[in-house]
Amino acid sequence: MAGHDHSELTKGGAHPHHVLPQGMIFLIAGGLFAGMAATIGAAFMIPEPLHSNTFFMQSLALAIAIFKACLVVYFYMGVKFGTRLVKIFAYGGFIWFFTLFIMMADYTSRPMEPVPGWETVPSSALPRNTVEDPE
Amino acid sequence: MSATLIDNATAEQPRNDRNYLNADHTLKSWLLTVDHKRIGILYLIAVTIFFFIGAVAAAMIRYELTSPHGILLSSEVYNKTFSAHGIYMVFQFLVVAIPAVLGNFLIPLMIGARDMAFPRLNLLSWYMFMTGGLLITLSFILGGVDAGWTFYVPLSTLSETQISLCLVGIFITGFSSIFTAVNFIATIHKMRAPGMTWYRLPLYIWSHYSTAIVILLGTPVVAITLFLVVVERGFGFGIFSPELGGDPVLFQHLFWFYSHPAVYIMILPAFGVISEIITCFSRRPIFGYRFIAYSSVAIAFLGFLVWGHHMFLSSQSVLQGLIFSIITWILAVPSAIKVFNWTTTMYKGSIHFSTPMLYALGFMGLFLIGGLTGLHLASIDTDVHLTGTYFIVAHFHYVMVGGTIMGYLGGIHFWFPKMFGRTYSEMWGRISAMIVFVGFNLTFFPQFIVGYLGMPRRYHYYYFAPEWQFYHILSTAGSTVLGIGFLLPGIYLTYAIFKGKKAGPNPWGAKGLEWEQAGSPPITENFEKPVLVLEDPYNYNPEEDSKMYEHEVESADMLGGRK
Amino acid sequence: MSGHAHAQGDGPEVYFQYEDIDQQQESYVVGMWAFLMTEVMFFGALFLIYTLYRWKFHDTFFLAHEQLNWKMGGLNTAVLLFSSVMVAFAVHFAQKGKKTAQLICLGMTLMCAFGFLVIKSFEYGAKGDHKLYPNYTFEYGAHDKDHKVESWWDDNLPAFMHIEKKEQHGDPKNAKLFYSIYFTMTGLHGLHVVIGIIAITSLMVLIIIKSPLITDYVPTELVGLYWHFVDLVWIFLYPLFYLIPR
Ligand code: HEM
Ligand SMILES: [Cu+2]
């Protein structure tokens, strides 16, 4: 990759290594709007019993969102045509995002604790800023 | 024999009068500079001021603790004092000091570039840093902050002090370090001179690269977390508030998700400095280059997976605590690798006990103690007893002062001739290095003991156990010595900037582009001639230095340190 | 900035710290991606918070979300998607060196951005009327009748597609949590839109006055990357807030 970047041909060139063709832009745009329609459509038109299956519905919505995100990142943001370095940073950020979700391990394993935890709000946690208690 | 280098290294290269310091003298030329070296100096001035403010707060804390009943401060003021100490020292000094001062100054020089990739962004980060610092200072002028540097909710959301303002300041400072990190990343990736391959980079660059990665991935998380506290205080939203069903421990999770990596933001650059100093003053190539380089990267990534060790006693689940405890133990390995490698580097080298080396040796001893006590804290069962006591205070001062500040001072002393083109008094340098070492141990070792006995942190009295006064007085006495140790360099270095003897381009006989191919001080474009790198780094040879060590060269070869 | 070491004829200018134009352009792109990485983590923390509370209080979140206007949100999605397409075209034309076309596309983007904010402000305003600002004024369920607005959909589709409205409203406290997250996330996203507007406007002005700062397509590409990121965030925000499944 680095080989062709610094070859004599491109050296000092003012021109980008890759231009996303107009047809492609239209195509991706079509994909994005179709994705949007699919999201809304899925939220309202999927029949029961699937419609009340939260897990299914949520996965579907996220899958469509991820599909759209991939289109944007891959084509519009040019990661597909970017150097290896750009790819590393682009994917790295999105992958590292998931380390945050290690926190969920804490919350899902709290019910295993022998003592009551977050489930019961301790009486010491007095309400504030609530309408019931204007003080 | 050891002090000779600095004296006879004056006339190695015909000196060019033009340099980055005298390129222009107006104040405007400094405040609007885009030269990475000048920006480094601007940072130097700024962090020194913030360090001074933090140190005054520390002195007040130590004075207060000499009596079991407290002397000077009310509880409220005491809370604000230790908060000020923590906030200034961590956010305005430790996180920034080495990367922004030495990193800015040296990275382009070390990789053979004319400047950072984004010079104007670099200047912008300095201004953001100053804005953040000013807002924090303003918050203390307007009444102070009493939630400690950790800002745990609901304490920080309920407190009636200037927390919002202070948090906004920290937020801005955080973005300043993000921009610095962006600059480092782009510079290290794209600006290396021809021939400067990744494995020819000085280890200093590797550690700064790892630091930049940690800053990029961690700082935004703490920024948003602190922002949420501001929102909660300002608009009455309630993301962490238990009465809405929110979980305050979530704040701790998010806070430590950054703040554990942040301790590596503080220590990794110091590792880099130490690698440079140890090799130079042992006259030996570094032992295990790739191990040290990759251990930095390993620390950067693994450092993100251990934050839970700060939360063993919060309502985090025991299972999660267990996992974090194990990963923390694993994380100690890469740090240990470095210390072993430095030790081996020195083995049969020709060691010069010059000032930077004294700091580096001090660093190794103190970091060792700090790291090992960290392992006491990393085991859940001992941590249950030690958390929230002075044992922790001692632990993190051993790593942050004994590690980062020793590294910083060592680095400043090492590169001082490069930065200002003059040399300081070697005698005073050594004396003050010794004073710092002695004063430091006197201050913080008693805290291990008193913490182990049960002295809680953040208390300003201990009338229930007056027998602890002995340790506290020792500690306060030590901190006075330590203070003198910090003041002395301030004096003789400032003196040397103006009156010191002129230094040659390479007063230490060190290897590296900044020494071998740039003047002292360097010109604005850093290098007179185009740079081409053909050598591995740390191409030292103990033989060159003193023939009588000849037989050791073979063992150096056998150990694989020499290429 | 004394020496711009080597400007090459009428080609783009190479700043003095760089060796050649390739190095310069790549540095900028890499720098921008490094910054976007932090942006991912910035919003990432918020998405984590959302996930946690959503998992914890799913039922209340579902009920609370029904007060959000999914049509407005959908309209905003369309607006942002369209603006993203426009930016992609702007970058395309910048790379081809077609200035007028590029300016037109940027202008369209700018209009979309303002449109987004206007729609958003209507939405926020409506939330205020319904006493849904998550501060001391918060009064969950104050205006129940109004959210019948949604029923247009129910009236126009066969019965099996109707969305059943549950009777209860969930726990008002947790609903306040929902709105706290909603306002924080959409608010920060809105802030990013504002920053984007500033960036695009400055870019356009610099291009129009033929500023020496803009000598090639890279500034447009960087602004484009940023704007696509803003769009990206919204792509997730929309289904997660406006279309929570039961
Ligand atoms: C080599 C390994 C290290 C280990 C195993 C380690 C372990 C720990 C543990 C377990 C704690 C939590 C104690 C508690 O709250 O009960 C802790 C606290 C702390 N450590 Fe370390 N640590 C290490 C290195 C460092 C380094 C290099 C630094 C900084 C440069 C550092 C700075 C801190 C700070 C600031 C705290 C206290 C934070 C607070 O509660 O205010 N540690 N360490
Ligand atoms: Cu830690």
Side-chain angles (χ1 to χ4, degrees):
Chain A
M1 198 144 290
H4 95 101
D5 280 353
H6 283 278
S7 71
E8 284 305 312
L9 278 174
T10 52
K11 189 132 189 163
H15 297 296
H17 301 296
H18 186 272
V19 184
L20 193 61
Q22 294 197 14
M24 211 51 184
I25 299 183
F26 275 121
L27 204 66
I28 307 296
L32 288 175
F33 279 101
M36 180 192 142
T39 319
I40 299 179
F44 294 101
M45 307 222 220
I46 295 221
E48 298 290 351
L50 275 183
H51 192 271
S52 39
N53 183 336
T54 318
F55 180 75
F56 172 78
M57 295 291 287
Q58 192 59 65
S59 314
L60 186 66
L62 278 180
I64 300 173
I66 290 172
F67 170 73
K68 284 160 76 182
C70 285
L71 286 185
V72 172
V73 172
Y74 215 51
F75 295 98
Y76 280 179
M77 298 173 91
V79 170
K80 185 177 194 305
F81 320 105
T83 57
R84 202 176 50 154
L85 194 58
V86 166
K87 285 196 172 72
I88 291 174
F89 276 94
Y91 297 146
F94 291 109
I95 290 170
W96 205 250
F97 162 66
F98 288 99
T99 52
L100 277 166
F101 282 79
I102 298 173
M103 285 171 207
M104 289 302 287
D106 175 19
Y107 293 95
T108 46
S109 59
R110 276 191 206 176
M112 300 176 197
E113 301 286 296
V115 290
W118 195 21
E119 307 298 330
T120 40
V121 177
S123 55
S124 60
L126 291 173
R128 87 192 129 93
N129 290 347
T130 44
V131 262
E132 303 99 274
D133 182 2
E135 288 164 30
Chain B
M1 158 213 125
S2 36
T4 45
L5 271 167
I6 198 166
D7 294 327
N8 59 24
T10 24
E12 286 178 2
Q13 215 175 284
R15 283 186 55 81
N16 189 333
D17 275 350
R18 188 167 68 88
N19 64 44
Y20 82 99
L21 288 172
N22 65 17
D24 200 339
H25 289 284
T26 57
L27 184 64
K28 191 175 149 220
S29 77
W30 278 91
L31 290 181
L32 294 180
T33 180
V34 290
D35 182 352
H36 67 101
K37 299 181 283 306
R38 285 186 164 214
I39 294 175
I41 305 292
L42 289 180
Y43 269 115
L44 176 66
I45 297 167
V47 297
T48 310
I49 294 171
F50 291 126
F51 177 75
F52 183 75
I53 302 177
V56 170
M60 281 163 71
I61 296 173
R62 276 324 318 165
Y63 180 58
E64 176 75 4
L65 284 169
T66 48
S67 151
H69 301 278
I71 304 174
L72 188 64
L73 312 171
S74 66
S75 299
E76 288 75 31
V77 177
Y78 185 78
N79 288 348
K80 291 175 181 172
T81 313
F82 75 67
S83 304
H85 172 63
I87 292 167
Y88 275 106
M89 284 302 195
V90 171
F91 295 112
Q92 295 297 117
F93 181 74
L94 286 167
V95 168
V96 202
I98 301 185
V101 178
L102 293 172
N104 259 329
F105 193 93
L106 290 167
I107 287 179
L109 278 167
M110 281 188 168
I111 65 176
R114 281 186 283 271
D115 203 322
M116 285 285 181
F118 315 123
R120 275 170 290 193
L121 187 67
N122 205 2
L123 184 64
L124 177 71
S125 6
W126 185 76
Y127 276 102
M128 290 180 69
F129 176 68
M130 291 312 277
T131 316
L134 286 180
L135 287 183
I136 293 173
T137 310
L138 195 64
S139 77
F140 279 101
I141 291 172
L142 293 180
V145 166
D146 63 359
W149 78 279
T150 49
F151 294 102
Y152 276 13
V153 295
L155 176 58
S156 59
T157 42
L158 292 175
S159 160
E160 270 154 27
T161 50
Q162 294 292 336
I163 291 194
S164 306
L165 190 58
C166 185
L167 288 180
V168 172
I170 294 174
F171 187 91
I172 297 176
T173 302
F175 268 84
S176 138
S177 33
I178 289 177
F179 288 143
T180 306
V182 166
N183 229 330
F184 283 4
I185 299 259
T187 308
I188 295 173
H189 267 296
K190 305 267 28 144
M191 310 286 287
R192 282 170 287 133
M196 183 58 99
T197 58
W198 280 91
Y199 292 123
R200 285 184 186 159
L201 287 174
L203 290 167
Y204 183 88
I205 303 291
W206 278 88
S207 27
H208 272 77
Y209 185 77
S210 315
T211 311
I213 295 274
V214 181
I215 293 178
L216 283 185
L217 294 172
T219 315
V221 175
V222 83
I224 188 67
T225 312
L226 299 181
F227 178 80
L228 289 176
V229 174
V230 177
V231 167
E232 192 156 341
R233 292 176 60 86
F235 305 119
F237 289 23
I239 286 183
F240 300 120
S241 62
E243 61 270 26
L244 299 187
D247 182 18
V249 176
L250 181 61
F251 172 89
Q252 298 182 23
H253 270 304
L254 290 167
F255 182 82
W256 290 113
F257 183 88
Y258 161 77
S259 291
H260 182 79
V263 309
Y264 289 104
I265 297 177
M266 304 176 208
I267 200 75
L268 275 171
F271 286 162
V273 170
I274 300 302
S275 299
E276 301 296 308
I277 296 179
I278 294 273
T279 46
C280 173
F281 293 98
S282 310
R283 305 277 145 201
R284 288 265 274 116
I286 194 93
F287 177 76
Y289 176 93
R290 292 193 185 197
F291 272 98
I292 301 190
Y294 283 119
S295 67
S296 295
V297 181
I299 287 176
F301 285 108
L302 272 180
F304 274 101
L305 306 178
V306 300
W307 75 83
H309 66 215
H310 295 270
M311 301 168 56
F312 288 150
L313 254 64
S314 68
S315 64
Q316 174 182 241
S317 76
V318 175
L319 179 72
Q320 177 113 342
L322 215 61
I323 295 168
F324 275 128
S325 169
I326 294 168
I327 308 180
T328 308
W329 276 78
I330 297 174
L331 181 56
V333 175
S335 317
I337 287 179
K338 292 191 189 248
V339 177
F340 289 138
N341 280 335
W342 292 324
T343 319
T344 319
T345 304
M346 290 196 299
Y347 181 68
K348 294 194 174 166
S350 146
I351 297 178
H352 301 254
F353 292 101
S354 313
T355 314
M357 187 63 167
L358 291 183
Y359 279 111
L361 293 174
F363 172 97
M364 283 168 65
L366 301 181
F367 180 71
L368 192 73
I369 298 179
L372 288 178
T373 51
L375 291 177
H376 294 81
L377 299 172
S379 325
I380 299 189
D381 35 10
T382 41
D383 184 67
V384 169
H385 297 281
L386 296 175
T387 191
T389 67
Y390 262 74
F391 193 90
I392 294 205
V393 176
H395 156 69
F396 66 69
H397 281 88
Y398 261 82
V399 274
M400 298 208 296
V401 182
T404 310
I405 298 191
M406 292 293 258
Y408 175 68
L409 285 177
I412 292 281
H413 282 88
F414 187 44
W415 283 291
F416 185 86
K418 187 54 52 183
M419 295 169 99
F420 297 103
R422 296 183 187 257
T423 56
Y424 49 87
S425 153
E426 180 68 17
M427 181 192 73
W428 280 111
R430 290 182 196 196
I431 290 177
S432 68
M434 299 300 217
I435 293 180
V436 168
F437 186 77
V438 172
F440 175 83
N441 281 298
L442 196 55
T443 314
F444 292 107
F445 205 81
Q447 296 187 0
F448 275 130
I449 302 171
V450 79
Y452 177 75
L453 295 176
M455 170 78 199
R457 78 191 268 202
R458 294 179 171 174
Y459 276 33
H460 72 123
Y461 48 67
Y462 42 98
Y463 55 79
F464 42 83
E467 65 274 16
W468 291 341
Q469 190 174 17
F470 171 66
Y471 300 108
H472 279 293
I473 289 194
L474 269 188
S475 180
T476 305
S479 65
T480 317
V481 178
L482 187 61
I484 295 172
F486 286 145
L487 217 55
L488 276 178
I491 296 170
Y492 67 77
L493 288 183
T494 316
Y495 175 81
I497 292 177
F498 301 105
K499 292 272 157 60
K501 212 153 46 130
K502 283 253 169 17
N506 192 357
W508 309 110
K511 303 283 177 186
L513 290 181
E514 84 273 27
W515 297 112
E516 292 173 316
Q517 310 218 14
S520 290
I523 56 172
T524 305
E525 303 83 24
N526 289 346
F527 302 100
E528 310 260 358
K529 292 177 252 140
V531 180
L532 178 66
V533 184
L534 298 169
E535 261 189 352
D536 282 344
Y538 310 117
N539 219 336
Y540 292 106
N541 191 349
E543 201 181 0
E544 270 171 22
D545 207 37
S546 40
K547 296 286 181 202
M548 65 177 188
Y549 284 133
E550 209 175 276
H551 62 285
E552 286 164 3
V553 179
E554 289 153 28
S555 60
D557 282 332
M558 269 161 55
L559 285 169
R562 247 158 48 98
K563 288 274 162 59
Chain C
M1 292 288 310
S2 50
H4 294 144
H6 19 249
Q8 318 162 318
D10 48 12
E13 179 178 30
V14 180
Y15 292 130
F16 88 103
Q17 70 269 30
Y18 296 106
E19 296 300 329
D20 56 43
I21 187 73
D22 279 344
Q23 189 192 25
Q24 172 174 332
Q25 291 176 342
E26 278 182 44
S27 300
Y28 277 104
V29 174
V30 168
M32 191 66 200
W33 270 105
F35 178 69
L36 289 183
M37 204 159 94
T38 75
E39 289 275 35
V40 170
M41 295 305 281
F42 190 78
F43 279 100
L46 289 168
F47 278 109
L48 172 88
I49 294 174
Y50 172 88
T51 313
L52 173 63
Y53 290 142
R54 167 80 189 283
W55 168 73
K56 201 75 198 164
F57 306 117
H58 173 77
D59 292 342
T60 311
F61 270 36
F62 170 71
L63 292 167
H65 107 280
E66 295 210 312
Q67 313 246 356
L68 297 181
N69 190 337
W70 67 267
K71 284 171 217 154
M72 290 265 217
L75 187 59
N76 257 345
T77 314
V79 169
L80 265 195
L81 282 183
F82 182 70
S83 74
S84 222
V85 178
M86 280 302 121
V87 164
F89 270 113
V91 175
H92 172 91
F93 288 126
Q95 289 173 332
K96 288 266 177 70
K98 292 179 183 155
K99 244 186 205 162
T100 331
Q102 180 196 353
L103 280 176
I104 292 174
C105 290
L106 285 177
M108 300 278 267
T109 314
L110 209 53
M111 273 166 40
C112 289
F114 279 114
F116 180 88
L117 288 183
V118 169
I119 297 174
K120 197 88 232 163
S121 65
F122 279 129
E123 262 189 275
Y124 277 9
K127 293 285 140 343
D129 296 343
H130 294 212
K131 296 221 188 310
L132 288 176
Y133 285 145
N135 55 14
Y136 61 93
T137 60
F138 189 76
E139 221 173 294
Y140 185 64
H143 280 251
D144 252 341
K145 275 148 268 138
D146 295 25
H147 96 218
K148 283 271 158 46
V149 178
E150 307 282 329
S151 61
W152 174 87
W153 192 253
D154 289 354
D155 298 343
N156 289 280
L157 281 176
F160 79 95
M161 287 178 187
H162 287 187
I163 310 150
E164 258 180 63
K165 297 255 160 56
K166 283 196 184 168
E167 292 301 311
Q168 82 274 32
H169 303 288
D171 189 339
K173 291 172 178 169
N174 299 345
K176 188 169 168 186
L177 199 60
F178 173 80
Y179 282 103
S180 298
I181 302 174
Y182 168 78
F183 276 105
T184 318
M185 290 185 83
T186 53
L188 272 178
H189 178 263
L191 191 69
H192 277 73
V193 173
V194 173
I195 297 173
I197 289 180
I198 296 172
I200 295 174
T201 318
S202 346
L203 180 69
M204 288 175 69
V205 170
L206 289 178
I207 292 177
I208 291 170
I209 63 170
K210 296 202 170 60
S211 154
L213 286 173
I214 313 278
T215 50
D216 57 7
Y217 69 96
V218 172
T220 317
E221 177 160 345
L222 299 187
V223 172
L225 282 177
Y226 179 84
W227 192 258
H228 288 309
F229 178 80
V230 173
D231 185 30
L232 210 59
V233 174
W234 188 257
I235 286 180
F236 286 94
L237 286 184
Y238 179 58
L240 287 180
F241 278 110
Y242 292 81
L243 301 173
I244 296 181
R246 181 103 46 85

